[in-house]
Amino acid sequence: NYVCVFARVIRNEIDEEFVSVQKQVKETVIELLRVYLRGKHPMISEEQLKRMVNQRTGARGEIREREWSDIVGYMYGSDSIELVKHIKEASKKYRKEQKEMEEAARIATGVRKREKMKKIPKGRVPFCVFMEILLNYQLRGHETFLKRFVSIFRSFDTDGDGILNEKEAKGLILSVNPSRTKSKVLGLIEKMDPFGHGVVTFSQCVGVLGGDIGKLIVREEELDKVE
């Protein structure tokens, strides 16, 4: 996911600040897991709780269904249906792979088939896979949010370097929100370019025009309904 995000930042398809957003998502997930485990194990010490969290979130850690479903439900509410579907699919795939590995190990070591194999709990998924699903979901949502803006930005960024001069930036602002007055446009330019370099980047534009981008999406959706 990090590689995908970095590539899109380089191509000016998403803003640089989104890297921090993804980092915050992971930190939030770990904190919610900690809160969940504390609620389930109120008598354990902080050190024991820390070890439990690390076991879940480590390189080979697994997160249980009741844990990930609580986290996803809290973070995404009614939007969690799609995520739950993807996580359950990942869990089934993981369980199948684990069974196949157990069987391969049994054959390789000559263990008799009638001997009971290790039971693999349902609903568990590797923490790294769980995080990948959440981060990819965030990325797709952000790409969708910026899709129209990216198209408008590129119409002004004719050389494709991700940088606009002041004249181009003014045109961009008015294309996103035609109701902006001259003084408002100049104020936004100053926010994008606080040190007066005379140029602004894609990420600076997204950072300042986030509210207008949201309104642009709403306006275009309303026009689509009318048509």
Side-chain angles (χ1 to χ4, degrees):
N1 178 269
Y2 178 80
V3 173
C4 290
V5 170
F6 183 74
R8 284 160 175 74
V9 169
I10 293 297
R11 296 197 298 262
N12 294 305
E13 295 173 357
I14 60 174
D15 53 299
E16 295 172 15
E17 183 61 28
F18 188 69
V19 175
S20 299
V21 173
Q22 294 291 70
K23 181 181 178 182
Q24 183 61 49
V25 169
K26 185 173 183 178
E27 290 174 353
T28 300
V29 167
I30 294 174
E31 176 59 20
L32 289 174
L33 176 61
R34 190 193 69 79
V35 171
Y36 178 90
L37 292 173
R38 168 55 74 195
K40 290 294 181 180
H41 307 280
M43 303 305 293
I44 64 175
S45 68
E46 280 299 316
E47 187 59 33
Q48 288 173 312
L49 177 62
K50 184 179 179 180
R51 285 200 299 269
M52 193 177 289
V53 171
N54 288 340
Q55 286 173 354
R56 299 286 199 279
T57 60
R60 300 182 67 180
E62 298 174 340
I63 186 167
R64 301 170 184 178
E65 183 171 7
R66 60 181 180 271
E67 295 164 354
W68 62 251
S69 60
D70 185 81
I71 291 170
V72 170
Y74 181 87
M75 290 181 68
Y76 299 98
S78 59
D79 294 330
S80 65
I81 296 173
E82 180 187 346
L83 279 169
V84 169
K85 179 183 175 183
H86 288 309
I87 298 167
K88 284 185 174 181
E89 288 174 353
S91 178
K92 288 179 182 178
K93 181 181 178 183
Y94 175 63
R95 196 161 183 261
K96 181 182 177 182
E97 289 172 348
Q98 291 297 302
K99 285 183 177 180
E100 290 173 349
M101 289 173 64
E102 287 278 342
E103 178 64 14
R106 183 192 66 76
I107 294 171
T109 55
V111 177
R112 289 174 296 178
K113 192 168 184 178
R114 65 173 178 269
E115 291 190 17
K116 191 174 181 181
M117 294 176 65
K118 179 183 175 183
K119 186 177 180 181
I120 303 167
K122 291 182 179 180
R124 289 193 182 187
V125 65
F127 183 77
C128 60
V129 173
F130 172 64
M131 281 307 312
E132 190 80 0
I133 291 170
L134 294 193
L135 295 176
N136 285 340
Y137 178 80
Q138 293 282 145
L139 177 57
R140 289 195 300 273
H142 198 56
E143 283 182 301
T144 300
F145 176 74
L146 291 177
K147 185 177 180 180
R148 177 63 180 132
F149 178 77
V150 169
S151 177
I152 297 172
F153 184 91
R154 287 176 176 171
S155 69
F156 289 94
D157 180 26
T158 53
D159 58 2
D161 63 355
I163 298 173
L164 303 182
N165 59 36
E166 186 172 325
K167 181 180 178 181
E168 292 167 337
K170 289 178 181 177
L172 173 70
I173 293 169
L174 291 173
S175 292
V176 174
N177 187 349
S179 66
R180 290 291 191 187
T181 62
K182 185 177 180 180
S183 61
K184 286 286 186 181
V185 169
L186 291 175
L188 292 172
I189 294 290
E190 288 179 5
K191 287 183 179 180
M192 293 176 186
D193 182 25
F195 300 107
H197 293 143
V199 294
V200 296
T201 66
F202 173 83
S203 292
Q204 288 172 324
C205 292
V206 172
V208 172
L209 298 178
D212 282 349
I213 294 170
K215 292 175 183 177
L216 171 67
I217 294 170
V218 171
R219 288 199 307 272
E220 294 195 343
E221 286 177 349
E222 290 175 347
L223 287 174
D224 288 340
K225 289 178 182 178
V226 172
E227 292 176 359

